[in-house]
Amino acid sequence: MISLVLLFGFYAILDGIFDIVLAIKATGHHWPLLVEGIVGIVAGIVTFMWPGITAMILLYLIAFWAILTGVLEIVAGIRLRAVIANEILLILMGVLSTLFGILIIIFPRAGALAIIIWIGAYAVLFGIILIALAFRLRSLRRLEA
């Protein structure tokens, strides 16, 4: 369980840092990414401040973090649709994050192994969508040049 706590803490902080960097580098008002980054960093710090927290508290912390970041990703995706035509991948990532958080809340006693499998499946799906988004954004950058 300590490994899960540490892994989540590191992931949340790194994800938060990357979101803040993206929000700063992006042109226009990208406040959802900035808020998502701050939430991620705070969630990671809280995780490290109390590493001995129970499994249930950690699960709820992960669930609410996933729901909040998911909603903010959906908002960011909707705002980007005005800039990038037919951009749906960021919204899909937000929906996936939100559903992941809701599943954890609905089934909190599924056990640490089940949660680890859910986290792994979520990470794989999220990673695939993020890679697809990166290629899409890269192709748009080429079109601008």
Side-chain angles (χ1 to χ4, degrees):
M1 197 61 196
I2 289 294
S3 296
L4 182 59
V5 170
L6 295 176
L7 180 65
F8 172 73
F10 281 122
Y11 173 77
I13 289 173
L14 283 175
D15 185 55
I17 290 169
F18 284 126
D19 287 338
I20 289 172
V21 168
L22 285 174
I24 291 170
K25 285 187 172 186
T27 57
H29 301 285
H30 296 292
W31 62 267
L33 282 174
L34 183 63
V35 172
E36 181 181 344
I38 293 168
V39 168
I41 290 172
V42 169
I45 290 171
V46 167
T47 301
F48 285 124
M49 288 176 63
W50 294 289
I53 61 177
T54 64
M56 292 300 285
I57 291 173
L58 176 62
L59 294 178
Y60 284 117
L61 178 66
I62 292 170
F64 289 116
W65 170 77
I67 291 169
L68 184 58
T69 58
V71 168
L72 291 170
E73 287 166 346
I74 292 169
V75 170
I78 291 169
R79 290 183 57 98
L80 280 176
R81 287 183 68 108
V83 178
I84 303 169
N86 298 322
E87 184 52 56
I88 194 77
L89 294 175
L90 189 58
I91 295 170
L92 184 59
M93 289 185 329
V95 169
L96 183 62
S97 295
T98 305
L99 289 176
F100 173 70
I102 290 170
L103 282 174
I104 291 175
I105 290 173
I106 292 173
F107 303 109
R109 297 182 187 257
L113 180 59
I115 294 303
I116 290 170
I117 291 171
W118 284 4
I119 290 171
Y122 164 76
V124 168
L125 289 173
F126 194 84
I128 290 169
I129 293 170
L130 197 56
I131 289 169
L133 176 63
F135 280 117
R136 178 119 187 227
L137 291 175
R138 186 175 183 202
S139 67
L140 287 172
R141 186 173 183 179
R142 286 185 201 154
L143 292 175
E144 289 177 359

